[in-house]
Amino acid sequence: MWTFIQDQILGMKWLNVLIQNLLAVIGIDTSSKIGGSITFFIYDVIKISVLLCVLIFVISYIQSFFPPERSKRILGRFHGIGANLISALLGTVTPFCSCSSIPLFMGFTSAGLPLGVTFSFLISSPMVDLGSLVLLMSIFGVKVAIVYVVLGLVIAVVGGSIIEKLHLENQVEGFIRNASSVEIDTPSLTQKERLIYAKDQVVETFKKVILYILVGVAIGAIIHNWIPESWVINVLGNRNPLGVVLATVVGVPMYADIFGTIPIAESLLGKGAQLGTVLSFMMAVTTLSLPSMIMLKKAIKPKLLGVFIAICVIGIVLVGYLFNVIQFILL
Protein backbone atom coordinates (compact mmCIF):
# COMPACT_ATOMS: atom_id res chain seq x y z
CA MET A 1 0.00 0.00 0.00
CA TRP A 2 2.79 2.42 0.92
CA THR A 3 4.65 1.64 -2.32
CA PHE A 4 1.49 2.48 -4.26
CA ILE A 5 1.10 5.78 -2.36
CA GLN A 6 4.75 6.73 -2.88
CA ASP A 7 4.91 5.75 -6.57
CA GLN A 8 1.45 6.53 -7.91
CA ILE A 9 0.08 9.26 -5.63
CA LEU A 10 3.16 11.19 -4.49
CA GLY A 11 5.45 10.19 -7.36
CA MET A 12 2.67 10.25 -10.00
CA LYS A 13 4.40 7.63 -12.16
CA TRP A 14 1.12 7.13 -14.00
CA LEU A 15 1.49 10.73 -15.21
CA ASN A 16 4.94 9.99 -16.65
CA VAL A 17 3.54 7.03 -18.60
CA LEU A 18 0.62 9.14 -19.83
CA ILE A 19 2.92 11.94 -21.03
CA GLN A 20 5.19 9.45 -22.83
CA ASN A 21 2.19 7.92 -24.60
CA LEU A 22 0.82 11.34 -25.62
CA LEU A 23 4.20 12.46 -26.95
CA ALA A 24 4.54 9.20 -28.87
CA VAL A 25 1.15 9.82 -30.49
CA ILE A 26 2.35 13.15 -31.90
CA GLY A 27 5.57 11.58 -33.16
CA ILE A 28 8.12 12.47 -30.48
CA ASP A 29 10.61 9.74 -29.64
CA THR A 30 10.78 9.84 -25.84
CA SER A 31 13.86 7.59 -25.83
CA SER A 32 15.91 10.30 -27.58
CA LYS A 33 17.70 13.06 -25.68
CA ILE A 34 15.29 15.75 -26.89
CA GLY A 35 12.22 13.58 -26.28
CA GLY A 36 13.50 12.56 -22.86
CA SER A 37 14.10 16.18 -21.93
CA ILE A 38 10.59 17.17 -23.02
CA THR A 39 9.09 14.26 -21.05
CA PHE A 40 11.11 15.12 -17.93
CA PHE A 41 10.18 18.81 -18.15
CA ILE A 42 6.43 18.34 -18.63
CA TYR A 43 6.20 15.55 -16.04
CA ASP A 44 8.15 17.31 -13.30
CA VAL A 45 6.49 20.71 -13.81
CA ILE A 46 3.00 19.20 -13.57
CA LYS A 47 3.88 16.88 -10.67
CA ILE A 48 5.62 19.54 -8.58
CA SER A 49 2.96 22.15 -9.32
CA VAL A 50 0.12 19.85 -8.26
CA LEU A 51 1.90 18.75 -5.08
CA LEU A 52 2.90 22.34 -4.38
CA CYS A 53 -0.66 23.69 -4.58
CA VAL A 54 -2.08 20.88 -2.43
CA LEU A 55 0.68 21.25 0.16
CA ILE A 56 0.47 25.04 0.32
CA PHE A 57 -3.27 24.82 0.86
CA VAL A 58 -2.91 22.32 3.71
CA ILE A 59 0.04 24.09 5.32
CA SER A 60 -1.59 27.53 5.00
CA TYR A 61 -4.74 26.20 6.62
CA ILE A 62 -2.63 24.93 9.54
CA GLN A 63 -0.71 28.21 9.58
CA SER A 64 -3.96 30.15 9.95
CA PHE A 65 -4.07 28.85 13.52
CA PHE A 66 -0.58 30.26 14.22
CA PRO A 67 -0.46 33.98 13.36
CA PRO A 68 2.69 35.86 14.49
CA GLU A 69 1.11 37.11 17.72
CA ARG A 70 0.06 33.65 18.78
CA SER A 71 3.43 32.22 17.77
CA LYS A 72 5.18 34.76 19.99
CA ARG A 73 3.02 33.78 22.95
CA ILE A 74 3.67 30.06 22.35
CA LEU A 75 7.43 30.53 22.11
CA GLY A 76 7.44 32.75 25.18
CA ARG A 77 6.21 29.86 27.34
CA PHE A 78 9.32 27.74 26.74
CA HIS A 79 12.90 28.14 27.89
CA GLY A 80 16.29 26.57 27.16
CA ILE A 81 16.72 23.96 24.46
CA GLY A 82 12.99 23.20 24.62
CA ALA A 83 12.32 26.70 23.28
CA ASN A 84 14.78 26.10 20.43
CA LEU A 85 13.02 22.84 19.55
CA ILE A 86 9.55 24.41 19.57
CA SER A 87 10.85 27.30 17.48
CA ALA A 88 12.40 24.93 14.95
CA LEU A 89 9.16 22.93 14.76
CA LEU A 90 7.19 26.14 14.31
CA GLY A 91 9.42 26.89 11.34
CA THR A 92 8.07 23.82 9.57
CA VAL A 93 4.64 25.43 9.13
CA THR A 94 5.86 28.81 7.90
CA PRO A 95 6.65 30.15 4.39
CA PHE A 96 8.83 28.18 2.04
CA CYS A 97 11.81 30.44 1.32
CA SER A 98 14.35 32.15 3.54
CA CYS A 99 13.41 35.65 2.35
CA SER A 100 9.84 35.08 3.57
CA SER A 101 11.08 33.92 6.97
CA ILE A 102 13.32 36.90 7.72
CA PRO A 103 10.47 39.39 8.43
CA LEU A 104 9.02 36.92 10.96
CA PHE A 105 12.48 36.47 12.50
CA MET A 106 12.76 40.26 12.87
CA GLY A 107 9.31 40.42 14.47
CA PHE A 108 10.13 37.67 16.97
CA THR A 109 13.43 39.36 17.87
CA SER A 110 11.71 42.74 18.33
CA ALA A 111 9.21 41.05 20.64
CA GLY A 112 12.05 40.16 23.01
CA LEU A 113 12.30 36.43 22.34
CA PRO A 114 15.77 34.96 23.03
CA LEU A 115 18.13 35.38 20.09
CA GLY A 116 18.97 31.68 19.89
CA VAL A 117 15.28 30.78 19.74
CA THR A 118 14.64 33.15 16.85
CA PHE A 119 17.64 31.77 14.95
CA SER A 120 16.40 28.20 15.38
CA PHE A 121 13.24 29.39 13.63
CA LEU A 122 15.23 31.19 10.92
CA ILE A 123 17.27 28.07 10.12
CA SER A 124 14.43 25.56 10.11
CA SER A 125 11.83 27.63 8.26
CA PRO A 126 13.39 27.46 4.76
CA MET A 127 15.33 24.23 5.27
CA VAL A 128 12.62 21.99 6.71
CA ASP A 129 8.88 22.18 6.11
CA LEU A 130 5.97 19.84 5.58
CA GLY A 131 6.19 20.45 1.86
CA SER A 132 9.80 19.30 1.68
CA LEU A 133 8.91 16.16 3.64
CA VAL A 134 6.21 15.13 1.16
CA LEU A 135 8.21 16.06 -1.94
CA LEU A 136 11.29 14.25 -0.70
CA MET A 137 9.13 11.19 -0.05
CA SER A 138 7.82 11.33 -3.62
CA ILE A 139 11.33 11.23 -5.11
CA PHE A 140 13.84 9.82 -2.62
CA GLY A 141 11.61 7.66 -0.43
CA VAL A 142 10.31 7.87 3.11
CA LYS A 143 13.57 7.00 4.88
CA VAL A 144 15.55 9.76 3.16
CA ALA A 145 12.76 12.30 3.77
CA ILE A 146 12.46 11.56 7.47
CA VAL A 147 16.24 11.56 8.10
CA TYR A 148 16.57 14.83 6.12
CA VAL A 149 13.89 16.55 8.21
CA VAL A 150 15.26 15.23 11.51
CA LEU A 151 18.82 16.34 10.71
CA GLY A 152 17.53 19.72 9.49
CA LEU A 153 15.80 20.22 12.82
CA VAL A 154 19.00 19.17 14.62
CA ILE A 155 20.97 21.85 12.74
CA ALA A 156 18.31 24.43 13.67
CA VAL A 157 18.24 23.49 17.37
CA VAL A 158 22.02 23.16 17.77
CA GLY A 159 22.68 26.31 15.74
CA GLY A 160 20.23 28.37 17.77
CA SER A 161 21.65 26.98 21.04
CA ILE A 162 25.21 27.92 20.04
CA ILE A 163 24.17 31.45 19.13
CA GLU A 164 22.35 31.73 22.47
CA LYS A 165 25.51 30.65 24.36
CA LEU A 166 27.66 33.22 22.53
CA HIS A 167 25.51 36.12 23.88
CA LEU A 168 25.50 38.11 20.66
CA GLU A 169 22.42 40.19 21.42
CA ASN A 170 24.45 43.37 20.85
CA GLN A 171 24.99 42.23 17.26
CA VAL A 172 21.32 42.82 16.42
CA GLU A 173 20.69 46.20 14.84
CA GLY A 174 19.35 48.81 17.27
CA PHE A 175 16.13 49.53 15.38
CA ILE A 176 15.10 45.91 16.01
CA ARG A 177 16.31 45.62 19.61
CA ASN A 178 14.64 48.89 20.59
CA ALA A 179 11.37 48.32 18.75
CA SER A 180 8.34 48.34 20.97
CA SER A 181 6.32 45.16 20.87
CA VAL A 182 2.59 45.70 20.63
CA GLU A 183 0.40 42.72 21.41
CA ILE A 184 -2.50 42.46 19.05
CA ASP A 185 -5.22 39.94 19.64
CA THR A 186 -5.84 38.14 16.41
CA PRO A 187 -9.56 37.68 15.82
CA SER A 188 -10.76 34.11 15.48
CA LEU A 189 -11.25 33.13 11.88
CA THR A 190 -14.27 31.25 10.67
CA GLN A 191 -13.89 28.02 8.73
CA LYS A 192 -14.73 29.84 5.50
CA GLU A 193 -12.15 32.56 6.22
CA ARG A 194 -9.46 29.95 6.86
CA LEU A 195 -10.25 28.23 3.54
CA ILE A 196 -10.16 31.57 1.71
CA TYR A 197 -6.84 32.40 3.38
CA ALA A 198 -5.41 29.03 2.31
CA LYS A 199 -6.62 29.53 -1.26
CA ASP A 200 -5.11 33.03 -1.41
CA GLN A 201 -1.79 31.67 -0.12
CA VAL A 202 -1.82 29.03 -2.86
CA VAL A 203 -2.22 31.69 -5.56
CA GLU A 204 0.30 34.10 -4.02
CA THR A 205 2.98 31.48 -3.34
CA PHE A 206 2.56 29.75 -6.69
CA LYS A 207 3.11 33.06 -8.49
CA LYS A 208 6.33 33.55 -6.51
CA VAL A 209 7.83 30.11 -7.10
CA ILE A 210 6.62 29.04 -10.55
CA LEU A 211 9.61 30.69 -12.26
CA TYR A 212 12.03 28.81 -9.98
CA ILE A 213 10.17 25.56 -10.65
CA LEU A 214 10.45 26.07 -14.43
CA VAL A 215 14.15 26.97 -14.22
CA GLY A 216 14.91 24.14 -11.79
CA VAL A 217 13.10 21.54 -13.89
CA ALA A 218 14.78 22.82 -17.07
CA ILE A 219 18.21 22.44 -15.44
CA GLY A 220 17.19 19.02 -14.17
CA ALA A 221 16.10 17.98 -17.68
CA ILE A 222 19.46 19.06 -19.12
CA ILE A 223 21.40 17.16 -16.44
CA HIS A 224 19.15 14.12 -16.80
CA ASN A 225 19.48 13.78 -20.55
CA TRP A 226 22.53 15.70 -21.75
CA ILE A 227 25.26 15.69 -19.06
CA PRO A 228 27.46 12.56 -19.25
CA GLU A 229 27.17 10.37 -16.18
CA SER A 230 30.96 10.20 -15.86
CA TRP A 231 31.16 13.98 -15.39
CA VAL A 232 28.73 13.97 -12.48
CA ILE A 233 30.40 10.97 -10.85
CA ASN A 234 33.84 12.58 -11.12
CA VAL A 235 32.70 15.87 -9.57
CA LEU A 236 29.97 14.84 -7.11
CA GLY A 237 30.46 11.08 -6.78
CA ASN A 238 32.51 9.13 -4.25
CA ARG A 239 35.66 9.72 -6.29
CA ASN A 240 35.73 13.31 -5.08
CA PRO A 241 35.96 13.56 -1.27
CA LEU A 242 35.32 17.30 -1.49
CA GLY A 243 32.05 16.88 -3.40
CA VAL A 244 29.93 17.85 -0.37
CA VAL A 245 31.93 21.03 0.21
CA LEU A 246 31.76 21.92 -3.49
CA ALA A 247 27.99 21.37 -3.65
CA THR A 248 27.48 23.54 -0.55
CA VAL A 249 29.66 26.38 -1.88
CA VAL A 250 27.91 26.29 -5.28
CA GLY A 251 24.48 26.31 -3.63
CA VAL A 252 25.04 29.34 -1.38
CA PRO A 253 24.93 32.10 -4.05
CA MET A 254 21.82 30.66 -5.69
CA TYR A 255 18.25 31.62 -4.86
CA ALA A 256 15.44 29.11 -5.08
CA ASP A 257 13.18 27.17 -2.80
CA ILE A 258 12.96 23.45 -2.23
CA PHE A 259 10.51 23.01 -5.10
CA GLY A 260 13.04 24.41 -7.57
CA THR A 261 16.02 22.47 -6.24
CA ILE A 262 14.44 19.00 -6.01
CA PRO A 263 14.35 18.42 -9.83
CA ILE A 264 18.06 19.29 -9.99
CA ALA A 265 18.79 17.00 -7.04
CA GLU A 266 16.77 14.20 -8.63
CA SER A 267 18.74 14.42 -11.86
CA LEU A 268 22.13 14.64 -10.13
CA LEU A 269 21.33 11.57 -8.03
CA GLY A 270 20.21 9.68 -11.10
CA LYS A 271 23.53 10.50 -12.79
CA GLY A 272 25.61 9.09 -9.95
CA ALA A 273 26.04 11.95 -7.48
CA GLN A 274 26.12 10.87 -3.86
CA LEU A 275 22.98 11.37 -1.81
CA GLY A 276 24.60 13.53 0.88
CA THR A 277 26.26 15.74 -1.72
CA VAL A 278 22.92 16.35 -3.43
CA LEU A 279 21.11 17.09 -0.15
CA SER A 280 23.88 19.49 0.95
CA PHE A 281 23.31 21.41 -2.27
CA MET A 282 19.57 21.60 -1.53
CA MET A 283 20.12 22.77 2.05
CA ALA A 284 22.62 25.44 1.00
CA VAL A 285 20.34 26.85 -1.70
CA THR A 286 17.27 27.03 0.53
CA THR A 287 18.95 28.27 3.72
CA LEU A 288 21.85 30.51 2.64
CA SER A 289 20.75 32.12 -0.61
CA LEU A 290 22.51 35.41 -1.41
CA PRO A 291 19.32 37.54 -1.50
CA SER A 292 18.26 36.32 1.94
CA MET A 293 21.74 37.06 3.37
CA ILE A 294 21.51 40.61 1.98
CA MET A 295 18.13 41.03 3.69
CA LEU A 296 19.42 39.54 6.93
CA LYS A 297 22.42 41.89 6.92
CA LYS A 298 20.03 44.79 7.40
CA ALA A 299 18.83 43.25 10.67
CA ILE A 300 22.05 41.93 12.21
CA LYS A 301 25.69 43.02 12.29
CA PRO A 302 28.49 41.30 10.33
CA LYS A 303 29.83 39.31 13.30
CA LEU A 304 26.47 37.64 14.00
CA LEU A 305 25.85 37.14 10.28
CA GLY A 306 29.24 35.42 9.97
CA VAL A 307 28.49 33.15 12.94
CA PHE A 308 25.10 32.24 11.46
CA ILE A 309 26.58 31.40 8.04
CA ALA A 310 29.45 29.42 9.60
CA ILE A 311 27.08 27.34 11.75
CA CYS A 312 24.81 26.59 8.79
CA VAL A 313 27.67 25.72 6.42
CA ILE A 314 29.37 23.42 8.96
CA GLY A 315 26.06 21.74 9.80
CA ILE A 316 25.14 21.27 6.13
CA VAL A 317 28.56 19.82 5.27
CA LEU A 318 28.46 17.40 8.23
CA VAL A 319 24.95 16.29 7.28
CA GLY A 320 26.12 15.77 3.69
CA TYR A 321 28.98 13.50 4.69
CA LEU A 322 26.71 11.61 7.09
CA PHE A 323 24.19 10.96 4.32
CA ASN A 324 27.00 9.76 2.05
CA VAL A 325 28.10 7.27 4.69
CA ILE A 326 24.60 5.87 5.30
CA GLN A 327 23.41 6.13 1.67
CA PHE A 328 23.46 2.34 1.24
CA ILE A 329 20.94 2.04 4.10
CA LEU A 330 18.55 4.71 2.81
CA LEU A 331 18.42 3.91 -0.91
Side-chain angles (χ1 to χ4, degrees):
M1 177 61 72
W2 173 249
T3 301
F4 174 81
I5 293 174
Q6 181 174 314
D7 291 345
Q8 302 301 331
I9 297 180
L10 298 179
M12 296 186 190
K13 290 188 176 180
W14 58 268
L15 177 64
N16 192 36
V17 174
L18 177 61
I19 292 171
Q20 288 180 340
N21 291 337
L22 291 176
L23 290 176
V25 169
I26 61 177
I28 296 178
D29 181 9
T30 57
S31 63
S32 66
K33 288 185 177 181
I34 295 178
S37 298
I38 294 173
T39 303
F40 184 96
F41 184 82
I42 296 174
Y43 166 64
D44 262 37
V45 167
I46 295 175
K47 179 184 72 174
I48 293 176
S49 297
V50 170
L51 287 175
L52 171 65
C53 291
V54 173
L55 290 169
I56 292 175
F57 187 89
V58 173
I59 294 170
S60 297
Y61 181 81
I62 296 172
Q63 191 181 351
S64 70
F65 292 92
F66 298 95
E69 295 78 18
R70 185 176 182 185
S71 300
K72 293 174 190 176
R73 290 196 294 269
I74 292 173
L75 292 177
R77 299 172 187 169
F78 297 88
H79 304 282
I81 197 169
N84 292 95
L85 178 58
I86 297 300
S87 181
L89 289 172
L90 186 62
T92 64
V93 293
T94 52
F96 297 99
C97 70
S98 51
C99 288
S100 301
S101 306
I102 289 173
L104 283 175
F105 158 79
M106 294 169 65
F108 290 158
T109 305
S110 299
L113 293 176
L115 189 63
V117 173
T118 60
F119 267 97
S120 288
F121 169 85
L122 184 63
I123 295 171
S124 75
S125 182
M127 184 185 292
V128 182
D129 56 55
L130 298 178
S132 67
L133 176 62
V134 175
L135 273 179
L136 287 167
M137 282 183 181
S138 71
I139 293 175
F140 300 115
V142 62
K143 289 187 288 187
V144 172
I146 291 176
V147 175
Y148 174 89
V149 170
V150 169
L151 291 179
L153 289 173
V154 169
I155 293 176
V157 172
V158 172
S161 299
I162 292 174
I163 289 175
E164 187 70 28
K165 296 295 183 183
L166 293 176
H167 301 292
L168 298 173
E169 286 76 11
N170 62 343
Q171 293 298 305
V172 178
E173 292 292 350
F175 75 93
I176 293 179
R177 285 189 286 116
N178 301 325
S180 57
S181 177
V182 179
E183 289 293 334
I184 303 175
D185 291 329
T186 304
S188 298
L189 299 176
T190 65
Q191 180 73 3
K192 181 179 180 180
E193 289 171 333
R194 294 189 193 281
L195 294 174
I196 292 175
Y197 169 78
K199 181 204 71 174
D200 292 342
Q201 287 295 101
V202 170
V203 175
E204 182 181 346
T205 306
F206 187 75
K207 287 180 180 178
K208 288 180 180 178
V209 304
I210 182 58
L211 177 61
Y212 301 113
I213 292 175
L214 294 174
V215 172
V217 174
I219 295 174
I222 293 172
I223 294 172
H224 189 269
N225 294 279
W226 297 88
I227 303 298
E229 187 173 309
S230 59
W231 291 11
V232 177
I233 292 175
N234 287 335
V235 177
L236 300 178
N238 56 15
R239 299 176 188 175
N240 184 2
L242 296 179
V244 171
V245 177
L246 178 62
T248 303
V249 171
V250 169
V252 168
M254 298 178 66
Y255 176 57
D257 55 34
I258 191 126
F259 300 102
T261 57
I262 280 183
I264 302 175
E266 180 184 11
S267 296
L268 289 173
L269 189 66
K271 284 292 184 177
Q274 289 189 288
L275 177 62
T277 304
V278 168
L279 295 181
S280 290
F281 169 76
M282 289 173 54
M283 285 183 166
V285 171
T286 55
T287 309
L288 295 172
S289 66
L290 184 59
S292 66
M293 293 302 99
I294 293 174
M295 287 181 61
L296 189 58
K297 188 178 182 299
K298 298 181 181 297
I300 61 178
K301 297 178 182 179
K303 181 179 179 180
L304 180 53
L305 181 63
V307 170
F308 169 71
I309 293 174
I311 289 173
C312 289
V313 168
I314 292 172
I316 290 170
V317 169
L318 290 176
V319 166
Y321 281 115
L322 176 61
F323 264 106
N324 283 347
V325 170
I326 64 175
Q327 176 173 343
F328 73 97
I329 300 175
L330 300 174
L331 294 178

